């Protein structure tokens, strides 16, 4: 039972890590060619008001690869959702495992 709790904690850490990294990927934006042949992150260091997620008109900055901004948003949004769901489920498993471990040993002592 304790091994299950330890593995669930590792799963929670992995889900939380996935959620953080995908959030940073969404905020930072994609690596793309802005038309001068140099690949860079054109949407970094912008304020939240001028973020590319909320202003679709500035998506034309990226010339290559085609549809990279939409691909970036869809990919990291899916990863964010999966990471959050994994973290929640693993946290529930940790609580369940700890409860079973603690109460299971208490019940054995009573008998």
């Amino acid at each position: 039972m304790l091994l299950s709790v330890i593995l669930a904690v590792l799963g929670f850490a992995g889900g939380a890590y996935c959620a953080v990294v995908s959030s940073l990927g969404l905020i930072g934006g994609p690596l793309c060619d802005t038309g001068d042949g140099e690949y860079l992150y054109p949407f970094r260091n912008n304020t939240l008001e001028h973020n590319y997620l909320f202003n679709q008109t500035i998506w034309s900055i990226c010339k290559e690869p085609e549809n990279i901004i939409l691909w970036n948003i869809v990919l990291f949004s899916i990863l964010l959702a999966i990471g959050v769901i994994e973290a929640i489920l693993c946290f529930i498993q940790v609580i369940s495992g700890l409860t079973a471990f603690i109460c299971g040993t208490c019940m054995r002592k009573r008998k």
Side-chain angles (χ1 to χ4, degrees):
M1 189 61 64
L2 195 56
L3 180 62
S4 172
V5 171
I6 293 170
L7 293 176
V9 167
L10 287 175
F12 174 78
Y17 178 77
C18 180
V20 168
V21 169
S22 58
S23 297
L24 292 175
L26 269 175
I27 292 169
L31 175 70
C32 64
D33 181 12
T34 56
D36 56 358
E38 184 179 344
Y39 280 80
L40 49 95
Y41 294 96
F43 303 114
R44 285 204 175 153
N45 299 328
N46 286 343
T47 62
L48 212 48
E49 297 170 354
H50 304 291
N51 195 318
Y52 77 101
L53 293 172
F54 307 114
N55 187 1
Q56 195 172 357
T57 58
I58 62 173
W59 286 12
S60 60
I61 291 174
C62 287
K63 307 295 184 214
E64 287 291 325
E66 193 174 329
N67 295 325
I68 188 64
I69 297 173
L70 183 62
W71 185 85
N72 185 70
I73 291 171
V74 170
L75 173 72
F76 285 120
S77 295
I78 291 171
L79 286 173
L80 178 63
I82 290 172
V84 167
I85 290 170
E86 178 185 357
I88 290 170
L89 291 175
C90 287
F91 182 74
I92 292 170
Q93 178 63 30
V94 167
I95 298 301
S96 174
L98 283 175
T99 304
F101 178 74
I102 293 169
C103 292
T105 55
C106 293
M107 293 301 230
R108 288 186 198 134
K109 289 181 181 179
R110 286 185 188 171
K111 291 181 182 181

